[in-house]
Amino acid sequence: MSMFKKLFRKPKQGTNVSTTLDVLNETLVMLEKSEKVLLTKVAEELEKAKQFSALKGRRGALRCLKRKKLYEQQIEQLGNSQLRIHDQMIMFEGAKATTETVSALRTGAAAMKAMQKATNINDVDKTMDEINEQSDNMKQIQEALAAPIGAAADFDEDELEAELEDLEGAELEEQLLQPVPKAPAAAAVQVPAGRQPAPRKCNAEEEDELAALQAEMAL
């Protein structure tokens, strides 16, 4: 198959994007190889023209230059073809990315649709009601545990005030009944040894008064 037949052959029906990119890449490689061959021939014809010109072979030099010009025209055509293939490859690569994006979105939409179909709105409402009921029950339990012991009892404030007054009165009475502390006895006067006074002897009159006083106290 010639180069131009490969370049302008019709794509097969049902060819996908990846296969098309492979074909374009193969064609691009083939064009680059052809371009290298033509560049080699251009250099050869130029060298031949120089040799003919050195030998005064004008007609031979002109033929070599004509062939060189034809090769250069083919190289230019190949360059244009390579540019077109590059453009088409960029276009197909963009189309491939778009196709894959659409496919991913389609897959996601199908998965979402299946999930929504599996989830019934009535089941969601029922589940939320159960969650709210459990939350209310737990809140009541926590409030009951946090309440202080005896907080619910109802006391009579007047009764408590009367009991407090009784306690204060009993405490005051107990303080009044406490015995008065005795004053400390006067310190005995230290008398130097040898100077202590001799005990005074009671006379008969003083003894009679003392006996009468003891008799009164005995009554």
Side-chain angles (χ1 to χ4, degrees), residues 12-200:
K12 296 180 180 179
Q13 296 295 330
T15 302
N16 57 27
V17 177
S18 298
T19 304
T20 302
L21 287 173
D22 293 338
V23 172
L24 291 173
N25 191 48
E26 291 175 0
T27 304
L28 186 62
V29 171
M30 181 267 298
L31 292 175
E32 291 174 350
K33 289 180 179 180
S34 299
E35 184 180 13
K36 289 180 180 180
V37 172
L38 292 175
L39 287 172
T40 302
K41 291 183 178 182
V42 167
E44 291 176 352
E45 294 299 329
L46 182 59
E47 185 64 26
K48 291 179 181 179
K50 290 179 179 180
Q51 293 176 0
F52 279 111
S53 177
L55 298 175
K56 305 299 180 179
R58 181 178 177 81
R59 296 180 61 181
L62 289 175
R63 286 195 300 268
C64 292
L65 292 176
K66 288 181 180 179
R67 286 194 295 267
K68 171 182 170 291
K69 196 67 176 179
L70 291 174
Y71 291 145
E72 288 176 347
Q73 290 177 356
Q74 291 182 8
I75 290 173
E76 185 177 358
Q77 292 175 359
L78 291 177
N80 293 332
S81 298
Q82 291 180 45
L83 288 175
R84 292 191 182 93
I85 290 177
H86 277 296
D87 291 340
Q88 198 169 24
M89 289 179 68
I90 292 173
M91 180 186 67
F92 273 101
E93 286 174 353
K96 180 181 179 182
T98 302
T99 302
E100 292 177 352
T101 301
V102 172
S103 177
L105 292 174
R106 186 181 293 112
T107 302
M112 183 66 70
K113 184 177 180 180
M115 292 172 62
Q116 291 178 353
K117 186 177 180 180
T119 304
N120 191 348
I121 186 62
N122 296 327
D123 294 337
V124 175
D125 293 339
K126 183 178 179 181
T127 302
M128 293 305 299
D129 292 339
E130 292 177 354
I131 293 175
N132 293 331
E133 183 179 358
Q134 293 175 2
S135 299
D136 293 339
N137 294 336
M138 182 58 65
K139 184 177 180 180
Q140 293 177 3
I141 293 173
Q142 292 175 350
E143 291 178 352
L145 293 175
I149 299 175
D154 188 11
F155 297 106
D156 189 353
E157 296 294 334
D158 295 336
E159 183 179 352
L160 293 176
E161 290 289 341
E163 184 177 355
L164 179 59
E165 292 178 359
D166 292 340
L167 290 175
E168 292 176 349
E171 184 178 357
L172 179 60
E173 183 178 356
E174 183 178 356
Q175 292 178 358
L176 293 174
L177 292 177
Q178 292 292 333
V180 179
K182 295 180 179 180
V189 180
Q190 297 293 331
V191 181
R195 294 187 179 181
Q196 295 183 359
R200 186 172 61 85

